[in-house]
Amino acid sequence: AGGQIIFWFYNNVKIDPQGKLLLSVKGGPLSCGRTMISGAGSGGFIGINNSAGNLTPESIQLFLDGGGMPNDLCSSFGGMPGNTTGEKGLVSPLFPCVAGHGGEFCQKCPLGTWSRGNSTTCQACTNKPRRNAYYNETGWSNPICKYKCTRAVPLVVVNPDCLDAIPFFVRFFRGAGGVTAIFGCLVVLVSFLLWRRAGKGKRRCC
């Protein structure tokens, strides 16, 4: 098998941005002798402590493949399958990730995902409205993820469902009845102003 690597990433450890850190726990290749066949073991284990948060998937390259049979080396042995390959190895954090983080390197959960901690996975957020909304913060630690409404609709602080302008206006004034009442008041006001203006015009004429 490929053995194991325990990698403890401290705050003062720096990786050359022009290169990559290479870690390999590849299984050994199949080896054939006159009386024995060996090798083709599985890949090993890489345990990572990235509590400093500086290690990213872009800065490291991991080799986890199991061993195989190179160039049909053992094909002369009867009954040997042509795809003899060891299982792939495993990479995992040494400790559960803190809240709002997940993945092999315990990075911040990306937009639209969250984690309470004590886990290596980030779960999908489901609380934003289906339309006119988008998640806008990474590293969220509970299922009520932060989101905003798009620019075309009223702000989320007064419009949590991110409704379009007309439905929002109707709801804001408590349904169609409220809108009708407001419209009626406007009609009465306009009529009153026109009546007063017409009355003033008649006095001037007389």
Side-chain angles (χ1 to χ4, degrees):
Q4 66 178 8
I5 296 175
I6 304 300
F7 188 75
W8 205 281
F9 197 81
Y10 292 96
N11 281 316
N12 58 351
V13 175
K14 296 185 182 296
I15 297 177
D16 183 356
Q18 303 301 320
K20 281 192 175 186
L21 176 68
L22 307 180
L23 299 178
S24 175
V25 289
K26 292 178 66 174
L30 196 66
S31 176
C32 299
R34 292 184 178 180
T35 60
M36 182 178 65
I37 301 175
S38 64
S42 65
F45 171 76
I46 299 177
I48 297 175
N49 175 41
N50 187 33
S51 56
N54 298 326
L55 191 64
T56 65
E58 293 75 28
S59 62
I60 189 169
Q61 188 170 0
L62 306 176
F63 297 93
L64 303 167
D65 293 337
M69 183 168 60
N71 302 320
D72 296 329
L73 185 65
C74 303
S75 57
S76 58
F77 284 79
M80 280 293 297
N83 61 345
T84 302
T85 305
E87 293 290 332
K88 191 172 183 178
L90 174 68
V91 57
S92 174
L94 292 174
F95 305 100
C97 303
V98 298
H101 294 67
E104 297 169 348
F105 302 99
C106 284
Q107 292 184 287
K108 282 186 177 182
C109 292
L111 290 174
T113 62
W114 66 278
S115 170
R116 284 200 175 97
N118 296 320
S119 173
T120 59
T121 59
C122 296
Q123 303 180 57
C125 304
T126 58
N127 62 297
K128 79 172 180 62
R130 293 184 179 181
R131 297 180 64 249
N132 302 329
Y134 61 94
Y135 295 111
N136 68 319
E137 191 161 327
T138 61
W140 207 249
S141 59
N142 64 70
I144 311 301
C145 301
K146 190 175 181 181
Y147 66 89
K148 283 186 176 182
C149 298
T150 57
R151 292 185 178 181
V153 301
L155 296 176
V156 69
V157 292
V158 295
N159 184 24
D161 292 330
C162 295
L163 298 173
D164 292 317
I166 293 177
F168 168 75
F169 182 74
V170 171
R171 177 181 288 186
F172 186 79
F173 290 103
R174 299 186 182 279
V179 175
T180 302
I182 292 171
F183 180 74
C185 291
L186 290 174
V187 170
V188 171
L189 179 62
V190 171
S191 300
F192 175 74
L193 293 174
L194 291 175
W195 174 78
R196 285 195 61 186
R197 184 175 181 183
K200 288 182 179 179
K202 287 181 180 179
R203 290 194 192 99
R204 289 176 183 174
C205 291
C206 297

